[in-house]
Amino acid sequence: MDRPAPTPVSFQLGEIAVFRIKETLGKAFPPSFLLPDMDREVLREHAAWLVPSHYDPAADRFVMGTHSWVLRTSRHTILIDTCIGNQKHRPGRPGFNMLDLPYLQRLADVGLAVEDIDMVFCTHMHVDHVGWNTRLLDGRWVPTFPRAKYLYSRREFEWMKGNAERAPDSEDAALYNDSIGPIAAAGQAVIVDDGHEIEPGITLELAAGHTPGSMVMRVQSGQGRAALIGDICHHPLQVFYPDWNSGFCEDAQGARATRKRVLASVASDGGLLMPAHFGAPHAVRVKAKGDRFEIPF
Ligand SMILES: [Zn+2]
């Protein structure tokens, strides 16, 4: 599913160096599977920017990826969202099952060793956001980033832990046991709530809907502004049509309300929207247009 190896994105946001660490990129979900509310007419209407970076018409698949963002500030090196991970047993999701991808090599390619990451933040705890929390070492799942504090949204952690406890044979239990629980067991999890400040200019905000405890990271440095939104939008079409949930949104009404609130705030502060799955250019500006939004591609 991979396209030719891209150069990792690297840019400056005020005083903060930003890196994009790719895990996957390529043909992903059929549009009507990812966005069940979608009117397929928009695929033609928006074809000029959708093809080829965001939609492959021949295959009728959205083009999407999984990647982490890394922020290097004067105080911290923060890795946001840890993708799918290697060697994770995900029999119900063939595209995520038993991957063996050079994600850590790509981190090394931008000059970062696992020991350099001192903070990990998961916007939420779906399977493609917590995978590299851990790696398999001598048959045990251990924290990939040995020096890092992992910031866990309290509501999200309690929700996923509850799912795992209620249904010990479920996919959520497998996910909890190989990617979430081992961090808490190692004493590296830090439970955070709405409004948590990582350092001046970097705060976490509850953004429930897609999942009960989803959080958005707000970043401000010099003139630079950004919102790292996880899966508040899976695909750029949801910026244009913020009422369209993904098939993975847990609370339909909450997800719509949060998406509109977050997009409106990013449009008004002129910052960068940094989602978890958009195809190139992966991070975008947003402009308000009536009660919807657009991306000036
Ligand atoms: Zn996701």
Side-chain angles (χ1 to χ4, degrees):
M1 102 188 233
D2 276 7
R3 294 179 164 238
T7 309
V9 168
S10 160
F11 60 92
Q12 202 70 23
L13 192 74
E15 300 293 306
I16 300 172
V18 180
F19 303 92
R20 172 181 160 269
I21 310 301
K22 172 192 151 180
E23 186 190 54
T24 65
L25 181 64
K27 288 195 283 282
F29 304 106
S32 30
F33 176 82
L34 183 72
L35 303 177
D37 303 327
M38 194 187 75
D39 167 5
R40 288 187 58 90
E41 182 56 32
V42 303
L43 295 172
R44 266 191 294 165
E45 194 183 318
H46 292 270
W49 64 263
L50 277 171
V51 180
S53 293
H54 306 281
Y55 176 57
D56 178 333
D60 191 31
R61 298 281 179 129
F62 279 145
V63 174
M64 300 169 63
T66 49
H67 51 248
S68 302
W69 295 106
V70 176
L71 305 182
R72 197 160 61 193
T73 79
S74 59
R75 301 183 188 204
H76 294 111
T77 302
I78 311 167
L79 187 141
I80 296 99
D81 282 336
T82 59
C83 305
I84 301 161
N86 276 1
Q87 269 80 53
K88 303 275 165 150
H89 187 54
R90 306 284 183 243
R93 296 170 185 256
F96 293 177
N97 193 36
M98 301 304 280
L99 299 186
D100 181 18
L101 296 172
Y103 172 87
L104 294 180
Q105 182 56 50
R106 292 175 187 147
L107 195 63
D109 290 345
V110 300
L112 293 168
V114 290
E115 294 80 10
D116 293 326
I117 305 299
D118 48 31
M119 202 167 280
V120 173
F121 166 61
C122 303
T123 57
H124 64 295
M125 292 187 172
H126 276 161
V127 62
D128 50 330
H129 295 261
V130 297
W132 278 104
N133 278 4
T134 58
R135 59 174 164 170
L136 199 55
L137 212 62
D138 301 327
R140 285 180 56 230
W141 292 107
V142 301
T144 303
F145 306 101
R147 293 180 53 251
K149 298 276 183 226
Y150 288 64
L151 306 183
Y152 279 2
S153 158
R154 181 184 305 277
R155 275 203 210 171
E156 190 76 357
F157 180 56
E158 288 174 356
W159 169 65
M160 194 50 85
K161 191 163 185 270
N163 289 352
E165 286 166 357
R166 271 192 302 280
D169 296 324
S170 63
E171 288 184 2
D172 279 354
L175 177 67
Y176 183 85
N177 292 333
D178 63 32
S179 299
I180 298 167
I183 303 302
Q188 287 177 243
V190 175
I191 307 299
V192 296
D193 292 296
D194 186 28
H196 179 80
E197 184 182 71
I198 291 173
E199 62 176 69
I202 304 184
T203 54
L204 303 179
E205 156 190 320
L206 194 63
H210 177 64
T211 61
S214 278
M215 293 185 105
V216 164
M217 178 184 279
R218 302 276 186 176
V219 182
Q220 179 176 352
S221 175
Q223 299 300 307
R225 303 266 187 290
L228 288 89
I229 65 162
D231 288 358
I232 303 300
C233 297
H234 268 84
H235 189 278
L237 274 175
Q238 290 171 287
V239 175
F240 293 79
Y241 300 94
D243 276 322
W244 294 353
N245 283 334
S246 80
F248 304 110
C249 291
E250 308 274 348
D251 164 16
Q253 264 195 323
R256 286 189 192 104
T258 293
R259 188 174 308 111
K260 290 177 188 176
R261 175 176 69 75
V262 169
L263 288 173
S265 67
V266 173
S268 83
D269 75 13
L272 206 51
L273 190 76
M274 296 171 63
H277 302 306
F278 282 21
H282 312 292
V284 296
R285 305 277 172 192
V286 172
K287 281 167 57 180
K289 190 183 182 190
D291 58 357
R292 298 197 297 206
F293 303 90
E294 57 186 13
I295 299 171
F297 279 111

